[in-house]
C-alpha cells in the first residue's frame, strides 16, 4: 500500500478530507492521491455530511474544530445513516481532542495530531484499509454462504441426472458471476454402481458460455485443457487453479470421484470465492451421490441411511458456517450461541432423559440466532436505540431462522423450537404471541438461557450484569417473561457457576 506513489495505479479506496483550512485539505489531497487513493476535499461540515449521504467514501479525515459544527457533531450526524465509514479525527493538538470515551461512543477509528509530515497519518489510513478489506471479505463470505444455503436445498429435490447437472451449472454461474462453467459427471467412476450404470448416462455434461457444447465438441476443444487438473483433483480432493481455469472435484461421501466442475475466470478469483466454491462442490457432490443412490440403488436401504448421515454432516457444515458469519457481524456476540446451547442442555437434563431429544435441544440452542444472517449489519451493531422499523427487522430473525432450518429435513424438528424462543410466558412475546405451555418446552428453556447470557455478556451499548444481578432479573421475571419452574431449575444450576464458567472459558473473547 505505501509503495503506491504518483504515476502508479490507483487503489479502489476513496477518502474525503474535511477541514476548514484550505492549505491542509490541499496538502492532504496531494499526499494521499500520491499514495494511490481517490481523494475529495470539503471545508464545510454540513456539505460534507450531504456528500457522504449521497456518495460512497471509505475513510473520512476530519478536523475537530470547525464552524458551524465541530467534528464530534459531524460524526454524530453521519452515524445516524452510515455506520461503515472509517473516521480519523485531525486535531491541532492532542489536548484539543475529545475524550477517549466520546471517540469510542462515536466509533471513531483514531485521531491524528496535525504536523507537516503525514507518515503517521498514512499508517492510520492503511490500518483502516486493512480493516475494511477484512470486513469486505466477511461480507462476501456471508453473502456467498447465504446464497449457497438457498441453492443447495434445491439440489436435494427429486431430479433426473441431466436436470441436476444443469441446476449445478446455473448455481455456480450465479455464485461466481462467470459465464464459462461446465459440469462433467461419469457415474462409471463409482465402483459400487458400475454394474448398473446402464440405468444412467455413462457421461453427463452440461455447460454454459464457451462450454455450451455437446460432449464430442467439448472433449475435442476443451477437455485437454483440464486433463492434468483432473488427475490432480482426483487424488487431492482439493480445487486446482491454473491459468484462470478452476477445477473443482465432485466426490461422494466415500471419496469416490464422480466428476468435476470447471470454470474459466476472466481474472484470477479471490481466495474467498474459491473457498465458497469448494464448500458448494462438496454439497453438489453429496447431492449427486444421493441422486445416483435413489436412481440406481433404491433397494439398498443401508447405504441410503449412511448417505443421509453424511448429508446431515454437510448440512451441519453449512449451517455452522452461517452461524459463525452471524457472530462475525458483531464481535460482542461471539461465543453467545455456544454458551446458550451449553446452558440450555444443562437445564434440559433436569427434565428430559431422552438422549436424542437432548441432542435436538443442544442443536436448537446452537442455531437459535441463525436467522440474524438476514438482519442488516447496521442494525445489529447500532449503538443507539432502534427505531420501530429496525426493531421489527430484529424480531424477524426467529421466523427467518425457522424458515432456513425448515428447508432442510434433518433440522425440521428444531425449526419450531427456534421460531418460538422469543415467546413469553405471559403471551407478550413474538412472533406468534404464544403463552404458557403453548410455547414448546425447549423454546422456554432457550429463552431463559438466552436472557441469562445476554445479561452477563458485555455489549457495545451497556456493561454486563454480575451473576447476582442476572439471577435477580430472572427471578423478577418469573411468571411474566419466563416459565417460573424453569427459572427455579436454572437458579439451582447457577450454584455451580464457577465450574460452568470454567467450562465455557473458550467462548469468551477479549475485546
Amino acid at each position: 500500500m505505501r509503495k503506491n506513489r504518483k504515476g502508479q495505479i490507483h487503489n479502489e479506496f476513496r477518502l474525503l478530507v474535511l477541514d476548514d483550512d484550505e492549505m491542509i485539505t490541499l496538502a492532504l489531497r496531494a499526499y494521499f492521491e500520491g499514495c494511490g487513493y481517490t481523494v475529495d476535499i470539503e471545508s464545510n461540515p454540513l456539505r460534507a455530511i450531504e456528500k457522504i449521504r449521497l456518495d460512497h467514501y471509505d475513510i473520512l479525515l476530519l478536523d475537530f474544530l470547525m464552524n458551524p459544527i465541530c467534528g464530534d457533531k459531524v460524526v454524530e450526524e453521519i452515524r445516524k445513516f452510515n455506520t461503515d465509514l472509517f473516521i480519523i479525527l485531525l486535531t491541532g493538538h492532542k489536548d484539543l481532542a475529545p475524550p477517549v470515551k466520546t471517540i469510542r461512543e462515536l466509533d471513531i477509528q483514531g485521531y491524528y495530531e496535525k504536523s507537516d509530515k503525514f507518515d503517521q497519518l498514512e499508517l492510520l489510513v492503511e490500518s483502516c484499509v486493512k480493516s475494511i478489506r477484512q470486513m469486505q471479505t466477511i461480507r462476501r463470505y456471508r453473502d456467498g454462504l447465504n446464497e449457497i444455503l438457498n441453492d443447495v436445498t434445491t439440489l436435494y429435490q427429486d431430479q433426473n441426472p441431466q436436470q441436476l447437472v444443469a441446476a449445478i451449472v446455473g448455481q455456480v454461474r450465479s455464485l461466481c458471476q462467470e459465464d464459462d462453467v461446465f459440469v462433467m459427471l461419469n457415474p462409471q467412476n463409482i465402483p459400487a454402481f458400475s454394474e448398473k450404470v446402464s440405468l444412467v448416462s455413462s457421461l453427463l455434461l452440461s455447460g454454459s458460455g464457451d462450454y455450451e457444447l455437446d460432449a464430442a465438441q467439448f472433449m475435442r476443444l476443451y477437455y485437454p485443457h483440464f486433463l492434468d487438473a483432473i488427475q490432480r483433483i482426483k487424488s487431492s480432493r482439493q480445487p486446482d487453479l491454473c491459468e484462470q481455469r478452476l477445477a473443482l472435484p465432485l466426490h461422494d461421501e466415500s471419496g469416490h470421484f464422480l466428476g468435476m466442475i470447471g470454470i474459466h475466470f476472466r481474472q484470477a478469483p479471490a481466495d474467498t470465492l474459491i473457498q465458497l466454491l469448494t464448500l458448494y462442490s462438496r454439497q453438489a457432490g453429496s447431492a449427486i451421490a444421493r441422486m445416483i443412490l435413489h436412481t440406481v440403488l433404491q433397494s439398498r436401504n443401508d447405504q441410503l441411511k449412511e448417505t443421509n448421515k453424511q448429508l446431515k454432516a454437510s448440512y451441519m457444515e453449512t449451517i455452522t458456517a452461517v452461524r459463525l458469519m452471524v457472530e462475525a457481524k458483531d464481535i460482542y456476540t461471539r461465543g453467545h450461541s455456544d454458551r446458550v446451547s451449553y446452558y440450555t442442555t444443562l437445564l434440559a437434563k433436569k427434565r428430559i432423559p431422552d438422549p436424542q431429544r437432548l441432542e435436538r435441544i443442544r442443536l436448537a440452542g446452537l442455531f437459535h440466532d441463525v436467522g440474524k444472517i438476514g438482519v442488516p449489519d447496521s442494525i445489529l451493531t447500532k449503538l443507539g436505540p432502534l427505531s420501530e422499523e429496525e426493531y421489527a427487522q430484529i424480531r424477524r430473525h426467529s421466523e427467518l431462522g425457522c424458515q432456513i432450518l425448515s428447508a432442510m429435513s434433518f433440522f425440521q424438528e428444531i425449526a419450531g423450537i427456534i421460531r418460538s424462543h422469543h415467546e413469553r410466558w405471559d403471551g407478550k412475546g413474538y412472533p406468534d404471541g404464544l403463552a404458557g405451555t403453548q410455547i414448546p418446552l425447549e423454546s422456554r428453556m432457550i429463552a431463559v438461557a438466552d436472557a441469562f447470557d445476554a445479561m452477563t455478556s458485555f455489549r457495545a451499548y451497556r456493561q454486563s450484569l454480575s451473576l447476582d444481578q442476572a439471577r435477580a432479573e430472572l427471578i423478577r421475571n418469573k411468571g411474566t417473561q419466563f416459565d417460573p419452574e424453569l427459572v427455579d431449575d436454572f437458579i439451582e444450576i447457577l450454584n455451580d457457576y464457577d465450574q460452568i464458567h470454567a467450562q465455557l472459558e473458550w467462548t469468551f473473547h477479549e475485546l
Side-chain angles (χ1 to χ4, degrees):
M1 178 66 69
R2 300 185 69 198
K3 294 181 181 179
N4 288 332
R5 293 301 181 206
K6 285 186 177 180
Q8 296 192 16
I9 298 174
H10 282 215
N11 61 53
E12 72 272 25
F13 295 95
R14 295 190 64 192
L15 276 60
L16 177 63
V17 180
L18 172 56
D19 196 307
D20 55 9
D21 186 333
E22 184 178 9
M23 295 297 293
I24 292 289
T25 57
L26 292 175
L28 286 173
R29 179 167 66 180
Y31 184 86
F32 281 102
E33 284 182 345
C35 296
Y37 297 93
T38 299
V39 184
D40 289 342
I41 60 175
E42 182 55 67
S43 60
N44 184 289
L46 300 179
R47 288 200 300 265
I49 292 170
E50 286 308 303
K51 279 188 175 182
I52 293 168
R53 190 191 305 275
L54 298 174
D55 206 347
H56 170 76
Y57 293 96
D58 299 291
I59 301 170
L60 171 64
L61 305 182
L62 169 66
D63 187 27
F64 181 59
L65 295 177
M66 292 182 294
N67 286 314
I69 58 175
C70 288
D72 55 345
K73 295 297 182 185
V74 172
V75 179
E76 190 175 327
E77 289 301 312
I78 290 172
R79 289 305 186 214
K80 291 178 181 178
F81 62 87
N82 187 327
T83 58
D84 294 331
L85 182 68
F86 278 63
I87 299 175
I88 298 175
L89 205 59
L90 309 178
T91 63
H93 191 277
K94 64 182 179 180
D95 293 338
L96 299 177
V100 173
K101 179 181 178 183
T102 301
I103 290 176
R104 285 175 175 164
E105 290 175 347
L106 294 174
D107 194 20
I108 295 173
Q109 277 61 49
Y111 65 86
Y112 168 76
E113 187 177 344
K114 295 178 184 177
S115 72
D116 57 352
K117 294 184 178 180
F118 299 136
D119 285 0
Q120 292 299 316
L121 179 58
E122 185 182 352
L123 288 174
L124 281 175
V125 170
E126 288 179 358
S127 178
C128 291
V129 166
K130 290 177 183 176
S131 296
I132 293 168
R133 289 190 193 278
Q134 290 171 352
M135 290 306 300
Q136 288 173 342
T137 298
I138 288 172
R139 286 171 182 161
R140 284 195 297 267
Y141 199 73
R142 179 203 63 201
D143 293 342
L145 286 169
N146 206 20
E147 185 173 345
I148 289 173
L149 190 65
N150 291 330
D151 286 344
V152 295
T153 55
T154 65
L155 296 184
Y156 295 103
Q157 298 172 358
D158 290 336
Q159 300 182 80
N160 65 45
Q162 194 61 51
Q163 287 174 328
L164 180 57
V165 293
I168 293 172
V169 168
Q171 291 177 2
V172 171
R173 288 183 65 191
S174 175
L175 188 61
C176 67
Q177 296 297 300
E178 294 287 350
D179 290 329
D180 300 332
V181 176
F182 72 86
V183 173
M184 186 171 62
L185 187 64
N186 188 354
Q188 288 180 327
N189 287 322
I190 312 169
F193 305 157
S194 59
E195 71 275 13
K196 296 189 178 181
V197 77
S198 60
L199 295 179
V200 295
S201 171
S202 60
L203 178 64
L204 295 174
L205 176 69
S206 181
S208 63
D210 287 347
Y211 300 134
E212 193 172 0
L213 304 168
D214 62 39
Q217 291 174 313
F218 175 85
M219 295 298 286
R220 184 178 72 255
L221 294 175
Y222 293 111
Y223 183 75
H225 298 161
F226 287 92
L227 190 57
D228 291 341
I230 290 173
Q231 296 305 316
R232 290 192 291 268
I233 65 176
K234 283 178 70 173
S235 58
S236 70
R237 304 185 192 178
Q238 298 297 320
D240 186 271
L241 179 65
C242 182
E243 297 181 351
Q244 297 177 202
R245 295 187 184 94
L246 180 65
L248 294 156
L250 295 169
H251 287 90
D252 69 2
E253 287 76 20
S254 299
H256 296 121
F257 184 71
L258 307 178
M260 66 172 291
I261 299 172
I263 310 164
H264 190 187
F265 287 90
R266 288 163 291 182
Q267 58 185 19
D271 290 342
T272 303
L273 180 56
I274 294 177
Q275 292 170 12
L276 287 168
L277 289 167
T278 301
L279 177 60
Y280 176 85
S281 68
R282 293 173 188 163
Q283 300 289 326
S286 295
I288 291 168
R290 180 181 182 274
M291 177 270 296
I292 295 173
L293 282 170
H294 279 273
T295 303
V296 183
L297 304 170
Q298 295 180 6
S299 63
R300 297 173 67 170
N301 292 327
D302 290 344
Q303 287 195 4
L304 283 175
K305 290 178 181 178
E306 182 60 26
T307 299
N308 285 334
K309 179 181 177 181
Q310 295 296 333
L311 289 176
K312 181 177 181 180
S314 297
Y315 278 140
M316 283 289 294
E317 181 182 13
T318 302
I319 292 294
T320 299
V322 173
R323 178 178 69 85
L324 293 176
M325 285 303 99
V326 171
E327 293 192 352
K329 294 169 76 171
D330 182 5
I331 62 172
Y332 297 101
T333 62
R334 291 179 185 172
H336 170 69
S337 296
D338 296 287
R339 293 191 293 274
V340 169
S341 177
Y342 189 87
Y343 294 141
T344 306
T345 303
L346 288 179
L347 185 55
K349 285 180 179 179
K350 297 182 72 68
R351 292 175 174 266
I352 298 172
D354 179 17
Q356 291 184 339
R357 190 176 177 191
L358 287 174
E359 174 62 11
R360 289 197 296 270
I361 292 171
R362 185 189 71 82
L363 290 176
L366 198 60
F367 298 143
H368 75 284
D369 274 343
V370 71
K372 286 185 178 177
I373 195 73
V375 179
D377 295 6
S378 59
I379 296 176
L380 287 179
T381 60
K382 185 174 181 180
L383 298 180
L386 299 176
S387 67
E388 290 185 7
E389 181 180 351
E390 291 170 334
Y391 186 58
Q393 291 192 63
I394 284 281
R395 285 162 58 104
R396 285 195 63 248
H397 82 270
S398 55
E399 295 177 81
L400 182 55
C402 177
Q403 292 172 10
I404 289 172
L405 296 174
S406 293
M408 303 180 181
S409 59
F410 291 112
F411 295 112
Q412 286 176 354
E413 290 182 326
I414 68 171
I417 299 173
I418 288 170
R419 179 182 179 89
S420 300
H421 77 277
H422 277 295
E423 300 288 359
R424 290 171 52 107
W425 186 257
D426 60 10
K428 296 180 180 179
Y430 60 86
D432 302 309
L434 304 180
T437 56
Q438 293 177 327
I439 307 168
L441 175 61
E442 296 91 337
S443 303
R444 285 179 267 151
M445 291 177 174
I446 291 175
V448 175
D450 188 24
F452 175 77
D453 186 68
M455 288 188 288
T456 54
S457 300
F458 176 77
R459 293 292 186 270
Y461 49 84
R462 61 151 175 79
Q463 293 293 324
S464 60
L465 301 185
S466 68
L467 174 61
D468 288 339
Q469 289 172 322
R471 184 190 286 117
E473 279 298 299
L474 290 176
I475 294 172
R476 187 173 68 84
N477 287 283
K478 284 173 55 175
T480 54
Q481 184 173 353
F482 308 117
D483 181 333
E485 293 183 1
L486 293 181
V487 171
D488 291 340
D489 288 348
F490 196 78
I491 295 300
E492 184 177 339
I493 289 171
L494 293 180
N495 290 333
D496 297 321
Y497 184 69
D498 288 344
Q499 182 178 349
I500 294 171
H501 191 276
Q503 290 290 324
L504 293 171
E505 186 66 34
W506 64 274
T507 68
F508 294 93
H509 299 260
E510 183 177 347
L511 301 178

